[in-house]
Amino acid sequence: MITKHGRSACTSILIGKKASINGSVIIGRNEDCKTAWPKHLKFNPAAICAHSHFSSNDNNFEMDLPDKSYAYSSTPEWTDKYGVFEEDGINEYHVAMSATESAYANGRVLAVDPFDTEKGILEEAMVTCVLPYIKTAREGVERLGKIVTEHGAAEADGILFADPDEAWYLEIGSGHHYVAQRIPDDSYAVVSNQLAIQEVDFTDHLNFIFSPDLQNFVYQNNLWPKDRTFNFREIFGTQDDSDLHYNTPRVWAGQKLLTPSKKKEPQDFYLPFLEKPDRPITIQDAQRVLKDHYQNTPFDLTNKKNSSNATFRPISVATTQESHLLELNGENMIQWLCMGITSQGVYIPFYPQGTKTPAMWDKGTETYSSDSAYWVFKLASVLADRDWGKYGKDLSTTQDNTSKELMQIRHEYDQKLLSVSDREKEIELVDEANEKMANLAVQNYQALIAQLITKQTALSPLSFTMDSNL
């Protein structure tokens, strides 16, 4: 039996280039873990290192790596004691990757698919061992698939890949078995902690990649009849009470926002993996999905009647460490990064080809500190949480104004970069832009914090109102 690592509880989105408003391929995810567990932003340089080898600090997974690694961005944990968990990034070949989307695996499948636990638990190393060594999304699927086949995985996972032409979603169903599906250009997918891929066409190698003996494994262990269409979700996935309240409603929420014309129910086990949007999806639409807490529905957690009796787990929760949307459009690439709770934070359009981490974005431990970008955004959330009715307007005003100012800076530097052909000058401008955007967002939220603290000084229970005539 494989021990489940059980780290994440995330929500992902993948958008094909014809489903987006500007022809971009977009993938993204809320990375959820704990309410106080900082992430950092990092830009990793290209390197040539003979006999490169990865060895996990958290478990026994290790493997040899190629000598050459490409430059890439990432969002590692504040500590590598439990693994690096770089989780997401874009490399210099414009390949985006996001991992890990942990899913609840079917225990009976894991029980008949044991693997060597001395070498097999790769969850925390997926980005580290894959993204720096690939040139396309398909290459990423093939590389990770090979690692899963040879080394195994400890839990069911979903991993997102993208390049300027394609988005792919790979799911691990059990220790060594996986399937990946290309997202059709005119479609999108929203996934939340459930195995989501449905019918698999083993003859369609343009749109599906799978472990070599997947069919034999399933049929030999009587997991699915041969005379029925091979349905990955039905074979390896779950349909239980946790799905009804924890997972499925989040998929419903995303599809409700992007395809409102189709009426569905939040506890429908048969929501489709792939869906077409009612209108072209903007990056703001994708952000809205990842910010969702059932606003404008009876299930909104900010409604006081739901505060201690929530019906469904929302997409945006207090345990979100960071949220990212990786947008690729030809030579243009944006790593939209929001630290902390998505519904209370702001997405910063970073240039992933940067080389310098902005001040405060590589700081922060599990204990609050004022010099950490992560903790600045978390502190603002904590203060706003005291009363959304009183402080929600202050928060939303800061979000709106900050987003507009960030887009102005990004547009300014996009224009500057159009006239630059020198690589050194390009990187100089990119680093300058990243620093400006990062500083602006932090400073605006520091101003919000000052505003909220000042207002809340009057909330002390040690208050006494005296008649002004006395």
Side-chain angles (χ1 to χ4, degrees), residues 146-281:
K146 187 173 185 291
I147 295 173
V148 171
T149 300
E150 293 178 355
H151 295 266
E155 61 185 351
D157 287 313
I159 302 91
L160 294 66
F161 297 88
D163 60 36
D165 293 316
E166 299 182 324
W168 282 81
Y169 186 60
L170 183 152
E171 288 189 323
I172 301 170
S174 66
H176 294 274
H177 296 94
Y178 69 90
V179 67
Q181 183 171 1
R182 182 184 184 275
I183 306 301
D185 291 344
D186 63 354
S187 302
Y188 71 88
V190 175
V191 186
S192 289
N193 289 100
Q194 293 169 292
L195 293 176
I197 295 175
Q198 295 171 296
E199 295 184 359
V200 179
D201 184 347
F202 290 97
T203 67
D204 183 0
H205 298 289
L206 290 177
N207 294 297
F208 290 92
I209 300 173
F210 38 84
S211 48
D213 63 340
L214 177 60
Q215 287 175 286
N216 289 336
F217 171 76
V218 166
Y219 297 141
Q220 287 174 3
N221 289 284
N222 298 314
L223 302 177
W224 195 251
K226 289 185 179 181
D227 60 354
R228 291 186 62 182
T229 302
F230 194 100
N231 189 308
F232 194 78
R233 181 197 294 181
E234 294 290 334
I235 297 167
F236 291 94
T238 56
Q239 291 184 357
D240 55 29
D241 288 344
S242 66
D243 292 316
L244 286 176
H245 296 278
Y246 194 77
N247 300 322
T248 305
R250 285 182 277 159
V251 178
W252 166 79
Q255 293 186 359
K256 181 176 181 289
L257 288 168
L258 300 179
T259 314
S261 63
K262 294 186 179 180
K263 304 306 177 185
K264 301 170 184 176
E265 297 299 323
Q267 293 185 306
D268 183 356
F269 278 136
Y270 300 100
L271 294 173
F273 168 51
L274 300 172
E275 188 59 278
K276 294 182 180 179
D278 283 354
R279 60 182 178 84
I281 301 171

Side-chain angles (χ1 to χ4, degrees), residues 294-314:
Y294 304 118
Q295 299 97 302
N296 306 313
T297 79
F299 315 118
D300 187 355
L301 263 66
T302 65
N303 187 323
K304 289 184 178 180
K305 72 181 183 68
N306 294 326
S307 61
S308 59
N309 189 32
T311 305
F312 302 132
R313 192 267 205 202

